[in-house]
Amino acid sequence: MTSTRAEQVERLRRRLVAVAAASFAATFGLVAHHARAGGSGSSQAPAQVQQDSSGNGFFAGSDNYSFGDSGSSSGAPAGQSRVS
Amino acid sequence: MGTEVSVLVPGGDAERAEALVRDLFEEWEQALSRFRPDSELSRLNDAAGGPVAVSPLLHSVADAAIAAARATDGLFDPTLLPDLARIGYDRTFAELEPDAAAPSLPRGGGGWRGVQLDPRKLLVTVPAGVALEFGGIAKGMAVDAALDLLRREGFAEALVDAGGDLGVQGGRVWPVAVEEVPGLRIPLARGAVATSGTGRRRWLQHGRPRHHLVDPRSGEPARTDLRAATVVAATCRQAEVAATVAMLLGSVAAEPFLRERGLTGILLTDDRVSLVEAA
């Protein structure tokens, strides 16, 4: 099935809003939920990088971020991530 | 760092925040720029082959860069300076000569394995023939340091954006756009976002198209199906490193790489944009 870029972005936007809502709820202890990644090619290929085998912990706590609620996912951005 | 830095401090003294962050970035630039011959990093590289006493700042960035290299089996590599010079990126991007000939230089990847750090004496030993170059990780760490400084100075809520690598703190939710995916907003409450890609810093070298993202496995500009990778992480240094590695891995291998590390990613190919969520 093919889809336009606009359709892909809209699905991504909705998915991100759902992730944000789940994360927001989890932050306040209301829901323990983690959605799985969708789309094709999600896990068939082995990672070419091993899980921090040195134990130096560079990525330790890398999941310690949080999203806000879904209502904040529209409107003028406060910042823009881009290739620099 | 060849980039523009923005600071948002809702309800705070914006001029004071700006001055604090400007001074911090200037300090980091002077210590860590590979384009300033008098920078501390340049002096360290000039003294390769023996131990050099360095500032706590340079030591901390070198330590983080080597840790990142270990944690990614060398896909993140802070010793690619000879490769960057060989493909023509031997001066600031604004000063690059169009279509210059390729100099004959050795490949530099993997040199980080020989870098020795002494945290007690603040010594760094760069092996002869190796040079350190911190690039994006220094910028990410500067964002993290700027946020930390602002917090200590009473700015509980802040956003710091260094050329598209940004971090936030405080109670509010910051809508963050992603340039490569128009219309998308990441509602970031805490953490950082960084994007890596091949769409900028491109040039011709003797007729060959080049870009700045070097693959340490080949010493050449990366060949990847990804046009851009955006990563959300707890810190900007993690997001920056993960975005770079995701680009090098390509869309298929980048997904488990990000997911297994608890990172959220947005991967963009020519015909697809996808969201990777933490496991």
Side-chain angles (χ1 to χ4, degrees), chain B residues 121-156:
Chain B
K121 296 180 180 176
L122 289 180
L123 296 175
V124 177
T125 304
V126 178
V130 173
L132 284 170
E133 192 274 320
F134 299 127
I137 193 172
K139 190 165 57 173
M141 290 180 72
V143 168
D144 296 334
L147 286 170
D148 188 52
L149 173 63
L150 290 171
R151 185 166 47 243
R152 283 186 278 114
E153 291 289 333
F155 295 95

Side-chain angles (χ1 to χ4, degrees), chain B residues 47-255:
Chain B
V52 175
V54 300
S55 65
L57 171 58
L58 178 52
H59 194 280
S60 69
V61 176
D63 186 50
I66 299 301
R70 283 202 194 100
T72 60
D73 282 353
L75 276 183
F76 177 85
D77 190 328
T79 53
L80 294 174
L81 198 50
D83 300 283
L84 288 166
R86 184 166 38 75
I87 64 173
Y89 195 8
D90 57 352
R91 62 205 72 188
T92 65
F93 190 73
E95 296 170 335
L96 286 187
E97 292 180 13
D99 216 14
S104 177
L105 290 168
R107 298 186 191 281
W112 60 271
R113 297 179 194 279
V115 175
Q116 296 175 22
L117 302 173
D118 183 336
R120 194 169 56 84
K121 296 180 180 176
L122 289 180
L123 296 175
V124 177
T125 304
V126 178
V130 173
L132 284 170
E133 192 274 320
F134 299 127
I137 193 172
K139 190 165 57 173
M141 290 180 72
V143 168
D144 296 334
L147 286 170
D148 188 52
L149 173 63
L150 290 171
R151 185 166 47 243
R152 283 186 278 114
E153 291 289 333
F155 295 95
E157 292 189 329
L159 177 150
V160 176
D161 178 350
D165 291 353
L166 61 90
V168 305
Q169 66 188 16
R172 74 176 55 216
V173 178
W174 307 81
V176 176
V178 177
E179 184 182 47
E180 299 276 357
V181 190
L184 185 69
R185 299 284 185 274
I186 302 172
L188 193 63
R190 178 163 49 97
V193 185
T195 296
S196 180
T198 56
R200 288 194 179 180
R201 298 185 196 257
R202 303 181 70 93
W203 66 96
L204 284 176
Q205 184 187 43
H206 227 51
R208 298 177 70 186
R210 300 298 213 180
H211 60 77
H212 76 293
L213 185 63
V214 172
D215 190 328
R217 296 168 294 191
S218 66
E220 294 290 318
R223 300 177 70 176
T224 171
D225 67 332
L226 285 172
R227 277 177 42 201
T230 296
V231 173
V232 184
T235 66
C236 206
R237 76 170 186 169
Q238 291 170 331
E240 171 71 39
V241 168
T244 299
V245 171
M247 282 297 299
L248 295 175
L249 286 173
S251 60
V252 173
E255 287 200 20

Side-chain angles (χ1 to χ4, degrees), chain B residues 13-76:
Chain B
D13 182 343
E15 288 188 8
R16 191 167 77 87
E18 180 186 345
L20 287 167
V21 173
R22 184 190 296 117
D23 289 349
L24 182 142
F25 270 84
E26 177 53 34
E27 178 191 358
W28 281 58
E29 176 80 17
Q30 182 54 42
L32 304 172
S33 173
R34 70 176 170 107
F35 299 120
R36 293 188 182 186
D38 63 340
S39 73
E40 192 180 8
L41 176 63
S42 294
R43 293 199 303 272
L44 172 64
N45 285 332
D46 289 345
V52 175
V54 300
S55 65
L57 171 58
L58 178 52
H59 194 280
S60 69
V61 176
D63 186 50
I66 299 301
R70 283 202 194 100
T72 60
D73 282 353
L75 276 183
F76 177 85

